[in-house]
Structure formats: C-alpha cells, structure tokens
Amino acid sequence: MSEELKGLIFDLQRFSINDGPGIRTTLFFKGCALRCPWCHNPESISMTIQLNHDKNKCTLCKKCVEMVNGKGIRVKDGAISIDFDSIEDEEKLIDICPNGAYDLCGRYVTADELLKEIVKDKAYYENSSGGVTFSGGEAILQIEFLEKLSEKLKSENISIALDFSGYDPNNNLARTIDFTDIYLLDYKWTGSEIQNIVGKNIDIIKVLDILNENQKDVILRCPIIPEMNDNEEHFKAIAKLSRQYKCIMEVNILPYHSMKKSKQFKRIIEDKTYRVPEIEDKMKWKQILSDNGLKNGIMENEKI
C-alpha cells in the first residue's frame, strides 16, 4: 500500500480577513523558489521542516549545550548561539528543553486532517462569502496535494483562493484553474531586472493572459518598497494592467512595513531592511496611480 500523500505547512490561520474575500482560513505552505530580499516570512522558503528557537523562553539552563556537547550550540555574550545548519537530533532538543524554547517550523498533514479543521468554520465562510486561501511560501509547488485537498473542499462547497507569485516553470497554473475561485497574484517589479532582484524571471503577462482567458477573478497584490520599486514606471504598469485585464477585480497596493525576521531563517535570504514609507510617500503613490487611471485600487483599506 502506498503512503498517503501529505502536504508540508508551517501555519494554519483561522478568521483571516486579508487573504481574499470574506472570512477565510489561510494555509501557509512551506517552500518557495523566490528570494525576495524584503520577505517577511523567511521560514516559508525552505521545503524542509526546520528547528526553531524562541530566545524569549530561554533561561540559559544549558541543557541543550550539554546534549550536543557544544556542537552547534554554545553560550555567547550571555545568550544561546545556534548554528542551525550543524544541528542533529532536532526533536531531542525539543524534549530536553524544560522551557519549551525549541520547536519545529513545519509539519506534514493529510488532506483529511486539514479538512477536519477547515470545516469547523464553514458557517463563517458561507455568511461572509469567504473560504480557504492557499498561501506560503508558494503553495503551487505542492500541486498534487493541492489537487487532493481541493477535491475535498469542493465536495463541501468551500471557496478556494490561491496566493501566487506568478513564477511557474512547471506550468502548474493550468492544473489550478478548475478548483481555484480567485487568485491573489503578486506583481513585484516592472522591468527585466526582476531576475536579479528575486532570483527568478516572472512573466506576469503570460499568467494574466491565462487567467483572463479562463475568466478567473484576480486580486493583483503589489508590495511597494521605498527606493526599490516605488518608481513611476512601476506605478504606470500597475495602472495599465488594471485597465487592460477584465479579470483583475481589485488592485491592492501594499506599502512595505517593518517586521523583525526570525534570525535562524535569515541565512536563506540576504539580510536587508528598507525604509518604511511615510504618509507623504503614500500620498505621492496614490497621485501617480490615480493620474494614470488605476482601476479598483485599494491601499490600507482605502480606495485610491
């Protein structure tokens, strides 16, 4: 008998209101091919379960240091210092810590296990035109599991949204058309240098053409990072797409916000911080977008 197919997630968030229409349950899948330097979820990048350490729970009892004989864990400047790449027997660390400072980021789940949790809030989805959102990371990388889970969700008449970066070298997008009701499509950059910024080339026009031809609803989500992509060329392109594609029902302008990234996961991406936009920046962005005919634009819950 073959082993049951499982998906790898790192979080399940109930009562989400920012991941598509209505009240939703958002599933955060691990694994992403991009390396966006402004990423707020670096723990989502690796397609493996990873050790996590909460320094706020650590009392320097040093039991973990003793367990590994100093290999990969030591005390430095009055705090635990961890080389996560050299740690072995990760689960033993979880058991040995008396304060619960160690845990694992990521868990394997079956479609039935998730369905059991998701249907608990079915009444909220129905009353708010909500549903389930596949996010990440990049959920589409686990396409076989998405297909299996989606079949079960559809049998319960639960709406599905897919958060999608647009990077699709394996043409998995076509496999999502039948089960996805709405796409949350990222548009990060205008120009050919996007590959140098996020590590991969993304053909947003190809993706939008497919979704438009299949008459799928799209929310275009545009993270705006000062001194990176807050330029007139990018804003003009966003406005043009909103007018050009009937499938785009809404454009979300998402100003960069400061958030501390978990240090143990920073090794995967370059450690950078960016300036948080001021009110004046946002007013300028709105003006440029408005002047260029943006349709159905929203920034911080306000129409543009």
Side-chain angles (χ1 to χ4, degrees):
M1 182 181 295
S2 60
E3 186 176 349
E4 185 174 3
L5 181 65
K6 294 183 178 181
L8 179 58
I9 67 171
F10 68 94
D11 199 6
L12 183 154
Q13 182 175 303
R14 301 170 66 193
F15 299 102
S16 298
I17 58 173
N18 295 314
D19 295 319
I23 296 173
R24 313 191 72 82
T25 294
T26 302
L27 301 177
F28 293 90
F29 289 82
K30 273 179 73 65
C32 183
L34 305 185
R35 296 295 182 269
C36 304
W38 53 79
C39 179
H40 286 309
N41 293 318
E43 68 271 28
S44 74
I45 296 175
S46 174
M47 194 68 183
T48 62
I49 296 175
Q50 296 167 287
L51 183 67
N52 182 40
H53 179 258
D54 186 346
K55 64 180 181 180
N56 295 320
K57 294 181 179 180
C58 180
T59 59
L60 283 179
C61 71
K62 301 181 184 178
K63 288 187 176 182
C64 58
V65 179
E66 295 169 2
M67 194 201 89
V68 300
N69 295 318
K71 182 182 178 182
I73 306 177
R74 60 192 178 96
V75 178
K76 180 181 179 181
D77 299 327
I80 291 292
S81 176
I82 305 173
D83 178 3
F84 287 90
D85 291 322
S86 64
I87 297 297
E88 299 177 355
D89 296 326
E90 295 178 343
E91 293 190 19
K92 289 184 179 180
L93 285 171
I94 298 173
D95 295 332
I96 202 171
C97 179
N99 305 298
Y102 289 98
D103 64 4
L104 295 178
C105 178
R107 61 188 174 100
Y108 284 100
V109 290
T110 66
D112 285 331
E113 288 171 338
L114 288 178
L115 183 67
K116 185 177 179 180
E117 288 298 310
I118 290 167
V119 295
K120 290 178 181 178
D121 297 321
K122 187 175 179 180
Y124 294 102
Y125 312 147
E126 293 173 344
N127 292 332
S128 67
S129 298
V132 171
T133 298
F134 299 151
S135 188
E138 183 79 275
I140 202 172
L141 293 178
Q142 300 185 50
I143 185 62
E144 288 82 9
F145 183 75
L146 294 192
E147 289 175 327
K148 184 172 184 178
L149 177 58
S150 296
E151 183 179 357
K152 294 179 180 295
L153 293 175
K154 288 302 180 182
S155 71
E156 295 284 345
N157 294 316
I158 295 175
S159 175
I160 296 172
L162 175 63
D163 193 350
F164 181 40
S165 72
Y167 179 65
D168 186 29
N170 297 320
N171 297 313
N172 286 334
L173 178 62
R175 296 172 63 175
T176 71
I177 295 296
D178 288 341
F179 65 75
T180 304
D181 299 293
I182 185 167
Y183 290 82
L184 313 180
L185 177 63
D186 292 346
Y187 183 41
K188 305 173 187 290
W189 199 271
T190 297
S192 59
E193 65 272 21
I194 186 172
Q195 185 165 351
N196 298 328
I197 303 299
V198 304
K200 302 291 182 180
N201 186 41
I202 299 174
D203 190 345
I204 198 71
I205 299 302
K206 178 182 177 182
V207 172
L208 282 169
D209 282 344
I210 293 172
L211 297 178
N212 203 54
E213 289 169 6
N214 285 278
Q215 299 180 336
K216 307 302 293 189
D217 289 336
V218 176
I219 295 178
L220 196 68
R221 304 214 293 188
C222 309
I224 304 298
I225 299 89
E227 285 79 56
M228 286 290 289
N229 65 351
D230 64 333
N231 54 72
E232 192 163 351
E233 178 189 12
H234 188 48
F235 288 130
K236 285 183 175 180
I238 292 171
K240 182 179 179 180
L241 291 176
S242 76
R243 301 190 311 270
Q244 183 177 355
Y245 287 94
K246 293 181 179 180
C247 63
I248 298 178
M249 57 182 291
E250 187 177 295
V251 178
N252 289 349
I253 303 299
L254 308 172
Y256 175 78
H257 60 87
S258 151
M259 182 181 292
K260 292 183 179 180
K261 293 180 280 190
S262 301
K263 287 186 177 181
Q264 60 264 39
F265 303 114
K266 283 185 179 180
R267 66 185 186 275
I268 302 174
I269 60 175
E270 191 173 352
D271 182 14
K272 288 186 177 181
T273 56
Y274 300 91
R275 180 175 66 82
V276 176
E278 305 286 345
I279 294 177
E280 292 76 11
D281 294 305
K282 298 174 187 178
M283 291 178 62
K284 178 182 177 182
W285 300 348
K286 287 182 179 180
Q287 189 63 55
I288 297 174
L289 289 163
S290 179
D291 289 346
N292 284 277
L294 177 71
K295 290 180 63 179
N296 302 321
I298 294 177
M299 181 190 297
E300 297 178 334
N301 297 318
E302 294 184 0
K303 291 184 178 181
I304 298 175

